Amino acid sequence: MIVTVLGEIPAAELGRTDCHEHLLIRGGLPIVLEPDFALDSVDAAVAEVGEFLAAGGAALVDCMPLGVGRDARGLVEIARRTGAVVIATTGFHKDRYYAADHWVHTYSVESIVELLVSEFTEGLEVSGYGGPLVQRLEARPGAIKVATSGPVPTPTELRLVEAAGYAQVRTGLPVLTHTDDAGSADVQLSILAGCGVPPSSIVFGHMDRHASVSALAELCAAGASVCLDWMGRHDRRPDEYIADLVASLASRGHLEHVVLGQDLARRTYWHAYGGGPGLANLMESFPALLRKAGLTDDHIDQVLVGNPRRVLDRMETPPA
Ligand SMILES: [Zn+2]
């Protein structure tokens, strides 16, 4: 079963999925550091997700975890108003997005595991444990996010990745990661594996930004998946680059370990805020580029539907 903000659905019911997206970013340090990250309107998200659905998309994973501007209540509202399948994440972003006095820097790994597991068993905490009251929604997270910044994670990040690993083992939820460079995934993999997380439950994000085809292939060969998600930044890199990357991984026999996302976490990337290319880009324009790169319709279904069904499907019997 896949855990969405409106309840669980059988994996077989999941349609075309954007595995790394941001629908709302409200509050937290990220928007202080970069005002363009402020995706602060539910109405704008409803309009933008409407375009995504009209282009053939069905589901999106919101990758804003605890304490960095996640708006769990807003995600539920977007799912209700649009009919899109929305999957929320618990977990953490990079160290730099937490204030120096935030609890992520001082709580024990064991306490943090309990906070993550409780989001799954009792419901998303409205303020991301911003405290002092704990107020939960019925909605639950469908994935655990973790992040490291660079080849040597900070001490806080090391503890947070470990906590996410133990929370995966308790909940069976997939782990979606943020990587900052080619070496990040290896560090994350070794910590998560040390906690008992099976590689099949790990999706390394952003690797198309910095890793070679052979580095990506190695992660796939280890049984993990990669999310190619630097789509839609047409001012910096054409989407053809990612289409070719998908084709290269397919020719090496790793297509079943590839999922796609866009990570369009800026107002300037959304039609609803007056920018572009908009959330619909992945479903509207990208399949044609995959075809041009030599992939068949079956391959395209695999990366947009089949693989997301598998990686987002919660392990009913967690490894513990
Ligand atoms: Zn992101």
Side-chain angles (χ1 to χ4, degrees), residues 5-318:
V5 295
L6 297 184
E8 297 193 1
I9 61 168
E13 284 180 15
L14 194 73
R16 289 193 162 194
T17 302
D18 179 335
C19 286
H20 189 120
E21 206 46 78
H22 296 273
L23 300 181
L24 290 169
I25 305 178
R26 295 167 124 178
L29 215 45
I31 62 172
V32 176
L33 297 171
E34 176 50 77
D36 198 27
F37 288 161
L39 305 178
D40 53 6
S41 161
V42 170
D43 287 341
V46 166
E48 196 76 22
V49 169
E51 291 186 8
F52 174 84
L53 296 176
L60 311 106
V61 181
D62 181 86
C63 286
M64 231 42 199
L66 294 171
V68 287
R70 185 185 73 182
D71 180 353
R73 210 173 251 144
L75 294 178
V76 172
E77 189 182 338
I78 292 165
R80 287 221 172 97
R81 284 172 60 185
T82 63
V85 169
V86 176
I87 294 155
T89 48
T90 188
F92 304 97
H93 214 309
K94 290 191 286 188
D95 194 330
R96 72 185 290 257
Y97 291 139
Y98 297 96
D101 61 351
H102 195 281
W103 53 260
V104 292
H105 303 297
T106 51
Y107 280 18
S108 68
V109 170
E110 293 73 20
S111 303
I112 294 171
V113 173
E114 291 308 320
L115 293 175
L116 296 176
V117 172
S118 314
E119 281 228 304
F120 175 70
T121 54
E122 296 170 39
L124 296 166
E125 207 287 317
V126 174
S127 68
Y129 296 119
L133 295 179
V134 171
Q135 299 175 286
R136 296 190 188 277
L137 302 180
E138 262 181 55
R140 296 149 75 218
I144 303 169
K145 164 107 176 246
V146 284
T148 53
S149 44
V152 183
T154 69
T156 291
E157 288 167 351
L158 287 171
R159 290 168 39 258
L160 296 180
V161 176
E162 202 184 344
Y166 290 125
Q168 191 287 327
V169 169
R170 296 258 304 271
T171 61
L173 291 174
V175 177
L176 312 181
T177 85
H178 166 105
T179 60
D180 252 4
D181 62 17
S184 300
D186 296 331
V187 179
Q188 293 170 354
L189 180 58
S190 80
I191 300 170
L192 293 169
C195 299
V197 178
S200 57
S201 287
I202 309 171
V203 182
F204 293 103
H206 313 328
M207 291 297 284
D208 53 316
R209 296 183 198 183
H210 34 244
S212 62
V213 180
S214 50
L216 291 167
E218 256 176 56
L219 293 170
C220 297
S225 294
V226 292
C227 184
L228 310 182
D229 53 33
W230 224 49
M231 206 91 63
R233 286 159 178 75
H234 300 155
D235 50 331
R236 305 191 204 181
R237 198 179 70 183
D239 284 354
E240 279 87 350
Y241 175 86
I242 301 178
D244 289 342
L245 212 49
V246 177
S248 302
L249 288 167
S251 70
R252 292 172 183 229
H254 296 307
L255 194 68
E256 69 184 84
H257 295 278
V258 177
V259 295
L260 301 173
Q262 293 192 113
D263 198 20
L264 294 182
R266 285 176 178 272
R267 297 168 72 91
T268 42
Y269 293 140
W270 281 40
H271 287 152
Y273 293 113
L279 288 191
N281 177 62
L282 176 61
M283 302 301 165
E284 207 164 59
S285 316
F286 197 65
L289 299 182
L290 289 171
R291 252 174 245 120
K292 223 166 108 189
L295 296 176
T296 65
D297 285 348
D298 282 351
H299 291 146
I300 295 168
D301 267 358
Q302 189 176 349
V303 291
L304 287 176
V305 183
N307 295 344
R309 284 179 178 174
R310 201 185 59 251
V311 300
L312 294 170
D313 197 7
R314 186 177 79 83
M315 296 172 68
E316 300 291 336
T317 313

